[in-house]
Amino acid sequence: MSMLGLYVPGDSAVYRIPVGAKLLGLFGAVTAVIVVGHPWTAAAAALGCALLYPLCGLPPRYAWRTLRPVLPFLALIALFQAFTGDWQVALRVCAQLAVAVLLSGLVTLTTRVSEMLALFERLARPLRFVGVRPERVALVLALTVRAIPMVASAWRASREAYLARGLRGRPHLMVVPVIVGLVRSAEAMGEAMTARGVD
Amino acid sequence: MLQLENVTHAYDGRTVLHDVSADLTERRIGVIGANGSGKSTLARMLNGLLVPDSGRVLLDGRDTRRYAKEIRRRVGFVFADPGTQIIMPTVGEDVEIGLRGSGLSRIEIEERVERILRRHGLDGHRDHPAHLLSGGQKQMLALASVLVTEPEILVCDEPTTLLDLRNVTMIQRTLRTLPQQIVLLTHHLDTLGDFDRVLVMDEGRIVFDGVPDVAVAHYTQLMRRRLDDPPREEPPEPVGGEPAP
């Protein structure tokens, strides 16, 4: 649905599980795979996690999209472990990482950001006693998520302007306009938040 | 009622509003003027985003200097660039965030969000990433996000500037149906045909205040004169239009 791997609407059972339970499940499953520490068990778990996607109503391409960005790192780790240790260690480590990534992706894709933020807000409540406002913590996290496409958009705009002027090479020249654009966007967003009473 | 009393404001030594006074009583009020004429600064004063250096801005007698938070709840503000007005990652969440701390129950919030999204043609987009909407949809979302809090007055700062003709027409139609008092800043002069009153701003002053057709004619003449006989020293024009607050 988006380049952020955010929520994909659906109505399977996993969507109805409370976010706290999902995160506990994620933590439990990853811990179990690490504690068991058996290469074939970890590999089977990774395969099982990939199969969970269609079972949860998500097209299999989402499993691929989730795993794809970390594949180069997994390949490097596998090569390093295979040369310095043995192939079983390589398989175990890579499979464990794949389990963690696939399950985290599944939680993200089936949970609204607002639900996640509500949980963080609840978890941050005890910090009130040291002067932290939990709703602010949640808002900061939401803005962080929101800022990702904003940064991408600023970079794209700057790059297009750079290429349109016939400039080539020296990509560092785009850094300053990107930062200036982002500062302006941040100021405008701050003003909009104040106007909307979200401050 | 919104009132401006001898409002003066300057940015970095450049005065952008000079002793502006007006009682905004009509239901549909347009504000027109060239870039840098002080329109956006005036609009930001109405919702308490900016307070004047001197003079007062009042809503039902309450000064924006003292009651800014309350006034912001009562006076909604729509910006020219909806991209910066969208705070949350998805459409539904962005509309919903304005209702945080409103005292409404979860069910009431859900109902209100559903209703406003339906009314603005966004009901199928609730879980859609807000940054992937089209320009027109983003502006509709920005409008919906403000209207969900049910403000009494809506100040729109050039909400159609970045839109194509189809989306301009869509926003114009939407604004026409709203029950709120509307103060609309625009460069789309045809939008103002059925407005009750139009203020023409020039160099930080209201230079005309009257019915739309006469105001538009006055503004057109003013701009023609400016083109034929430009002032010797133009004030610096910030990139992107109005001076940043």
Side-chain angles (χ1 to χ4, degrees):
Chain A
M1 169 143 271
S2 84
M3 64 187 192
L4 298 176
L6 287 175
Y7 181 75
V8 177
D11 56 1
S12 66
V14 71
Y15 283 87
R16 292 189 288 276
I17 300 172
V19 59
K22 279 188 208 174
L23 289 176
L24 271 178
L26 166 69
F27 179 72
V30 173
T31 307
V33 170
I34 291 170
V35 169
V36 171
H38 190 273
W40 292 112
T41 312
L47 187 65
C49 289
L51 289 174
L52 267 179
Y53 277 68
L55 286 175
C56 294
L58 292 165
R61 68 172 186 277
Y62 281 103
W64 169 243
R65 275 189 202 173
T66 304
L67 203 55
R68 192 177 52 195
V70 294
L71 282 179
F73 301 101
L74 292 182
L76 279 175
I77 291 167
L79 277 174
F80 178 76
Q81 291 291 350
F83 280 117
T84 58
D86 62 72
W87 66 269
Q88 286 187 325
V89 176
L91 176 65
R92 178 172 57 79
V93 172
C94 290
Q96 286 169 341
L97 282 170
V99 167
V101 170
L102 285 167
L103 283 183
S104 308
L106 193 62
V107 171
T108 313
L109 291 165
T110 59
T111 311
R112 284 195 172 95
V113 174
S114 56
E115 291 171 46
M116 205 81 88
L117 296 179
L119 175 74
F120 290 140
E121 202 172 321
R122 281 203 301 278
L123 292 175
R125 265 180 207 158
L127 297 175
R128 264 199 191 131
F129 299 109
V130 288
V132 175
R133 286 173 58 186
E135 66 280 5
R136 282 274 170 101
V137 174
L139 186 61
V140 167
L141 289 169
L143 288 175
T144 308
V145 176
R146 172 72 184 95
I148 296 168
M150 208 175 239
V151 173
S153 164
W155 179 259
R156 199 166 45 244
S158 190
R159 187 171 174 274
E160 281 171 1
Y162 179 80
L163 294 174
R165 293 172 65 185
L167 299 167
R168 293 287 182 275
R170 298 189 294 168
H172 62 278
L173 292 178
M174 284 186 283
V175 173
V176 172
V178 168
I179 291 172
V180 170
L182 287 173
V183 169
R184 285 176 68 100
S185 297
E187 275 178 357
M189 189 182 265
E191 191 182 34
M193 284 169 67
T194 308
R196 290 178 62 183
V198 187
D199 57 350
Chain B
M1 178 182 64
L2 277 166
Q3 289 173 288
L4 297 145
E5 287 183 356
N6 308 106
V7 170
T8 296
H9 194 72
Y11 296 117
D12 300 326
R14 184 193 157 210
T15 304
V16 287
L17 286 180
H18 297 267
D19 198 27
V20 172
S21 294
D23 290 349
L24 305 179
T25 50
E26 291 76 4
R27 209 166 77 82
R28 297 277 186 273
I29 300 170
V31 182
I32 54 178
N35 291 336
S37 61
K39 298 189 305 294
S40 288
T41 305
L42 180 85
R44 280 161 171 76
M45 298 270 171
L46 299 179
N47 148 290
L49 271 174
L50 276 178
V51 288
D53 292 342
S54 66
R56 297 194 303 169
V57 180
L58 307 167
L59 174 62
D60 294 336
R62 289 174 176 251
D63 196 323
T64 53
R65 229 179 236 112
R66 185 150 173 222
Y67 297 98
K69 211 159 188 176
E70 181 203 320
I71 288 170
R72 275 184 219 131
R73 264 202 309 273
R74 295 176 60 189
V75 183
F77 197 101
V78 178
F79 292 82
D81 181 2
T84 54
Q85 193 168 334
I86 296 166
I87 300 166
M88 295 294 280
T90 65
V91 171
E93 288 163 344
D94 193 65
V95 174
E96 203 181 300
I97 197 167
L99 297 174
R100 269 167 57 141
S102 62
L104 294 172
S105 71
R106 188 74 231 157
I107 295 169
E108 286 171 317
I109 289 177
E110 286 288 321
E111 280 173 1
R112 226 196 246 198
V113 170
E114 277 299 326
R115 203 167 50 234
I116 203 88
L117 289 178
R118 203 167 40 245
R119 197 180 300 156
H120 292 87
L122 294 165
D123 41 341
H125 299 277
R126 186 173 177 147
D127 293 317
H128 200 91
H131 70 277
L132 295 183
L133 296 177
S134 70
Q137 285 173 325
K138 277 185 189 167
Q139 195 54 279
M140 286 307 262
L141 171 60
L143 198 55
S145 299
V146 172
L147 290 173
V148 77
T149 61
E150 298 180 352
E152 297 160 37
I153 302 167
L154 190 64
V155 178
C156 303
D157 184 3
E158 299 180 27
T160 52
T161 295
L162 303 175
L163 304 181
D164 62 22
L165 185 59
R166 183 177 154 271
N167 287 313
V168 169
T169 311
M170 192 169 71
I171 296 288
Q172 284 172 347
R173 281 185 186 163
T174 306
L175 291 178
R176 217 168 274 152
T177 60
L178 295 177
Q180 278 91 351
Q181 182 189 14
I182 291 179
V183 179
L184 173 69
L185 283 65
T186 187
H187 290 298
H188 286 105
L189 304 179
D190 56 321
T191 309
L192 304 169
D194 56 354
F195 270 51
D196 305 308
R197 176 183 176 190
V198 173
L199 311 177
V200 181
M201 294 204 62
D202 187 44
E203 295 186 346
R205 292 183 175 85
I206 296 174
V207 293
F208 187 87
D209 182 349
V211 292
D213 48 352
V214 186
V216 168
H218 184 94
Y219 174 55
T220 312
Q221 267 182 3
L222 181 73
M223 289 303 106
R224 275 203 197 114
R225 274 205 306 273
R226 280 284 147 78
L227 279 172
D228 295 341
D229 185 18
R232 284 213 180 126
E233 203 176 316
E234 280 283 333
E237 183 82 11
V239 178
E242 301 294 325

